């Protein structure tokens, strides 16, 4: 008898969510801790998900006329100091290079925490006239923001992202670009990550340091905490003034342009893990899954095995429009392999055994529901497409339902506090827009102001904290 290879049990999501999160990332092979404090290593499976995100987002970005570039990782420290809010916001998390080539540097260099300053220094050189506008660029890069404690994907000293930077003649045009970027992120999260969320505007104290207005997509995690999925900033003319970006307008007069910046990072993969996974492991939505379909031949005896292998290859060819793999490993039992692919969250499993060969059928097993069904061997592609679409939709609807069930409308501060002590979630409440109330709420309940939903109507209400008149309801939650 074949000796069973013992598989270490995964911590259950239903029992200990935060330990499950780290455990599933390590065991499914998405990432590992790096020997450098605060850093992580992307393993091939985790990086493959990021590559899929990049492909989709890069296509959206290029379609919007934005071109890719690359700027240095080093930024002269003095550039960061030019915009006061910007340096104040980032200075606690900067990594600074003071030595180079064995000598102390005259000019300290910062490892980019974000690239506004170095990019805008160049923009000032490149932009002369209205004919140079709009200037639309993006870069795929790493950024460094010092962290004391690693939280895989969510909090690491170095992470990967894209940052878009655009310059426009008018505020109307730059606002159009901010909304375009935000809409693309919403589309990415809803249609590919299958995660519903709330998109809106950040409060003054929560906005990006140096921005006029920040927009974001906030998602709700299974432990009732919020995760910010991206940001899109209306930079107004703040950076343009500081970096001396000017252009000669159509009327021959000198003008200051309007700018935007927007970004989405590998944090998004943390959300993906948290939202969809279960006690058995990850569940990757089909549209992002590096492997959408795994074929597992049920090996039994030598002669039969060869036929199974040949048929698996044949099937893979029939399913060439999908991302398909065959698990031909013979050193593991079938049961072990089932567990392994469930842990990795591959959306659909195909089983082929002697019975299936005889009947010219295959067995399909959905990862999200565990539901089994049969499909004819030669014409299984259309059924598989339907199932993958249905998994994608099912995951999104589950996420939408969870968001709905865990968004609480609160009108009394006691109710607010009780909800934060209980299941947390998103709390929708009137706020007078005074930062003092916001700070007190955070101090007393850990809930921060997440955003003002873009579709929030003007209403007459009372601030949840001080009772003074308020005109809109904002979203509060404890954040990651
Ligand atoms: Zn108030």
């Amino acid at each position: 008898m074949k000796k069973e290879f013992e598989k270490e049990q995964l911590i259950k999501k239903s029992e200990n969510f935060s330990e499950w999160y780290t455990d599933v990332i390590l065991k499914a092979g998405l990432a590992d801790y790096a020997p450098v404090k605060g850093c992580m290593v992307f393993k091939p499976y985790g990086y493959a998900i990021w590559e899929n995100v990049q492909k989709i987002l890069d296509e959206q970005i290029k379609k919007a006329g934005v071109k890719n570039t690359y700027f240095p990782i080093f930024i002269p420290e003095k550039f960061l100091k030019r915009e006061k809010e910007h340096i104040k916001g980032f200075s606690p998390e900067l990594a600074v290079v003071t030595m180079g080539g064995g000598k102390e540097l005259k000019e300290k260099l910062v490892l980019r925490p974000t690239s506004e300053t170095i990019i805008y220094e160049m923009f000032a050189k490149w932009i002369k006239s209205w004919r140079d506008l709009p200037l639309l660029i993006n870069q795929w890069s790493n950024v460094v923001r010092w962290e004391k404690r690693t939280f895989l994907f969510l909090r690491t000293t170095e992470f990967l992202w894209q940052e878009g930077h655009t310059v426009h003649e008018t505020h109307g045009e730059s606002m159009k670009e901010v909304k375009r970027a935000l809409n693309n992120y919403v589309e990415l999260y809803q249609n590919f990550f299958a995660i519903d969320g709330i998109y809106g505007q950040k409060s003054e104290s929560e906005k990006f340091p140096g921005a006029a207005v920040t927009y974001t997509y906030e998602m709700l995690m299974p432990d009732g905490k919020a995760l910010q999925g991206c940001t899109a900033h209306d930079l107004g003319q703040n950076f343009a003034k500081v970096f001396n970006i000017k252009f000669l307008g159509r009327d021959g007069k000198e003008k200051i342009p309007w700018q935007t910046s927007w970004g989405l990072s590998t944090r998004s993969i943390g959300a993906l893990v948290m939202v969809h996974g279960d006690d058995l492991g990850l569940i990757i939505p089909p549209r992002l899954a590096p492997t959408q379909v795994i074929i597992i031949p049920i090996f039994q005896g030598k002669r039969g095995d060869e036929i199974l292998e040949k048929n698996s290859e044949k099937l893979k060819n029939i399913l060439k429009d999908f991302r398909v793999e065959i698990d031909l490993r013979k050193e593991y039992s079938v049961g072990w392999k089932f567990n392994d692919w469930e842990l990795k969250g591959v959306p659909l499993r195909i089983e082929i055994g002697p019975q299936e060969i005889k009947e010219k059928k295959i067995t399909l097993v959905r990862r999200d529901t565990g539901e089994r069904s049969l499909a004819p061997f030669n014409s299984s592609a259309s059924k598989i497409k339907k199932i993958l679409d249905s998994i994608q939709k099912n995951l999104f609807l589950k996420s939408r339902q969870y968001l709905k069930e865990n968004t609480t409308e609160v009108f009394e501060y006691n109710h607010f506090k009780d909800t934060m002590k209980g299941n947390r979630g998103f709390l929708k409440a009137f706020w007078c827009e005074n930062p003092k109330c916001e700070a007190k709420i955070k101090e007393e309940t850990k809930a921060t102001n997440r955003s003002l939903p873009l579709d929030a109507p003007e209403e007459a209400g009372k601030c949840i904290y001080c009772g003074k008149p308020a005109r809109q309801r904002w979203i509060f939650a404890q954040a990651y």
Side-chain angles (χ1 to χ4, degrees):
M1 222 178 110
K2 201 191 274 175
K3 201 176 167 213
E4 186 75 22
F5 182 81
E6 276 297 318
K7 206 167 170 76
E8 209 189 321
Q9 279 279 311
L10 179 72
I11 291 168
K12 285 196 163 69
K13 187 184 188 185
S14 53
E15 286 169 10
N16 189 334
F17 175 70
S18 66
E19 282 186 26
W20 167 86
Y21 174 75
T22 302
D23 201 37
V24 76
I25 287 172
L26 296 174
K27 290 201 173 115
L30 292 182
D32 203 349
Y33 289 101
V36 182
K37 213 174 160 191
C39 293
M40 65 172 245
V41 177
F42 282 78
K43 292 179 82 178
Y45 192 47
Y47 200 77
I49 297 175
W50 180 237
E51 283 182 316
N52 283 344
V53 173
Q54 283 184 306
K55 245 178 260 161
I56 299 152
L57 196 51
D58 202 57
E59 203 173 289
Q60 289 176 337
I61 289 169
K62 285 183 178 140
K63 212 172 137 194
V66 182
K67 296 204 162 70
N68 283 332
T69 53
Y70 189 78
F71 284 75
I73 190 172
F74 303 111
I75 303 181
E77 197 185 29
K78 65 179 180 199
F79 284 14
L80 267 101
K81 286 182 171 165
R82 282 188 204 158
E83 215 289 336
K84 283 195 185 70
E85 277 185 38
H86 193 65
I87 185 68
K88 204 174 129 202
F90 282 106
S91 63
E93 46 194 36
L94 294 181
V96 185
V97 182
T98 57
M99 295 283 291
K103 283 182 191 158
E104 196 165 322
L105 299 177
K106 278 189 193 134
E107 163 98 72
K108 283 185 199 164
L109 299 172
V110 169
L111 296 181
R112 64 176 160 228
T114 178
S115 304
E116 274 77 7
T117 57
I118 191 163
I119 292 179
Y120 303 165
E121 173 76 10
M122 298 308 291
F123 280 0
K125 234 169 111 177
W126 296 343
I127 297 166
K128 304 279 180 227
S129 119
W130 63 271
R131 292 175 194 87
D132 301 321
L133 300 176
L135 180 56
L136 315 167
I137 63 131
N138 175 63
Q139 90 170 345
W140 290 96
S141 72
N142 56 348
V143 277
V144 175
R145 296 179 187 177
W146 210 257
E147 291 288 349
K148 292 188 183 86
R149 183 174 74 94
T150 317
F151 197 12
L152 296 169
F153 290 107
L154 298 186
R155 228 165 247 290
T156 49
T157 289
E158 182 189 9
F159 59 88
L160 307 178
W161 78 347
Q162 61 66 220
E163 49 179 320
H165 297 272
T166 70
V167 193
H168 307 263
E169 279 185 79
T170 65
H171 193 215
E173 282 171 33
S174 67
M175 275 314 294
K176 228 167 138 184
E177 177 59 15
V178 171
K179 295 277 163 71
R180 195 278 309 154
L182 181 67
N183 285 340
N184 276 169
Y185 291 146
V186 172
E187 194 192 321
L188 176 72
Y189 274 117
Q190 298 193 340
N191 298 345
F192 293 88
F193 280 82
I195 304 177
D196 200 12
I198 292 178
Y199 44 103
Q201 179 185 332
K202 286 277 181 194
S203 68
E204 272 298 301
S205 60
E206 295 284 335
K207 73 178 188 191
F208 176 71
V213 186
T214 292
Y215 298 88
T216 171
Y217 190 65
E218 294 279 337
M219 299 170 283
L220 193 57
M221 299 299 110
D223 58 353
K225 287 197 208 168
L227 189 76
Q228 179 178 298
C230 59
T231 47
H233 314 294
D234 163 19
L235 297 177
Q237 295 174 308
N238 296 349
F239 283 93
K241 283 176 185 164
V242 171
F243 283 86
N244 213 14
I245 309 174
K246 288 176 201 154
F247 71 99
L248 211 56
R250 291 167 199 264
D251 56 3
K253 286 181 187 150
E254 195 179 77
K255 291 192 163 67
I256 299 167
W258 299 82
Q259 291 183 270
T260 82
S261 69
W262 28 274
L264 181 137
S265 77
T266 40
R267 266 195 132 198
S268 56
I269 297 173
L272 181 83
V273 171
M274 283 189 173
V275 169
H276 300 305
D278 64 12
D279 284 352
L280 301 176
L282 300 171
I283 299 178
I284 317 270
R287 297 182 80 180
L288 280 187
T291 305
Q292 295 172 311
V293 179
I294 181 70
I295 301 172
I296 302 184
I298 316 291
F299 292 135
Q300 284 169 340
K302 278 216 164 131
R303 274 189 74 178
D305 286 1
E306 223 170 88
I307 298 166
L308 284 178
E309 254 179 64
K310 265 188 201 149
N311 277 282
S312 298
E313 291 291 350
K314 208 167 134 192
L315 184 62
K316 189 180 174 185
N317 198 40
I318 291 171
L319 302 177
K320 61 181 183 302
D321 291 341
F322 305 95
R323 296 189 283 272
V324 186
E325 273 187 62
I326 310 170
D327 190 345
L328 292 173
R329 293 177 294 179
K330 289 193 176 144
E331 63 273 33
Y332 298 110
S333 71
V334 167
W336 190 95
K337 289 194 213 175
F338 286 178
N339 290 343
D340 193 42
W341 292 105
E342 277 167 359
L343 175 64
K344 286 188 153 62
V346 171
L348 190 70
R349 176 172 90 219
I350 297 180
E351 301 171 10
I352 318 180
Q355 192 66 25
E356 277 90 356
I357 301 281
K358 214 167 99 190
E359 291 170 10
K360 292 197 170 79
K361 279 181 177 154
I362 52 174
T363 298
L364 310 174
V365 185
R366 281 172 72 135
R367 173 63 182 89
D368 62 335
T369 59
E371 195 185 319
R372 300 173 75 89
S373 60
L374 290 168
F377 188 97
N378 287 319
S379 55
S380 52
S382 65
K383 181 160 184 185
I384 285 169
K385 183 172 186 314
K386 266 187 206 145
I387 292 178
L388 290 177
D389 287 347
S390 157
I391 294 172
Q392 184 76 34
K393 200 172 158 197
N394 177 41
L395 292 175
F396 180 70
L397 291 178
K398 264 168 86 174
S399 155
R400 171 155 280 184
Q401 183 69 13
Y402 176 78
L403 178 70
K404 204 174 148 197
E405 284 169 3
N406 290 281
T407 303
T408 313
E409 303 197 336
V410 288
F411 298 93
E412 300 290 335
Y413 193 49
N414 277 335
H415 186 198
F416 192 113
K417 283 193 283 191
D418 289 345
T419 311
M420 285 307 296
K421 275 182 212 149
N423 291 334
R424 298 186 286 226
F426 281 150
L427 283 75
K428 205 171 170 187
F430 279 107
W431 168 52
C432 66
E433 292 171 44
N434 183 340
K436 280 182 190 160
C437 292
E438 205 182 11
K440 278 285 176 195
I441 291 170
K442 185 180 177 182
E443 191 186 309
E444 291 170 17
T445 70
K446 288 186 187 163
T448 51
N449 190 336
R450 303 317 303 159
S451 76
L452 174 68
L454 283 191
D455 57 0
E458 290 254 354
E459 300 169 275
K462 285 177 185 167
C463 173
I464 191 81
Y465 191 79
C466 70
K468 284 185 185 150
R471 50 193 188 99
Q472 274 167 320
R473 287 193 278 167
W474 295 67
I475 300 293
F476 292 83
Q478 186 176 336
Y480 267 101

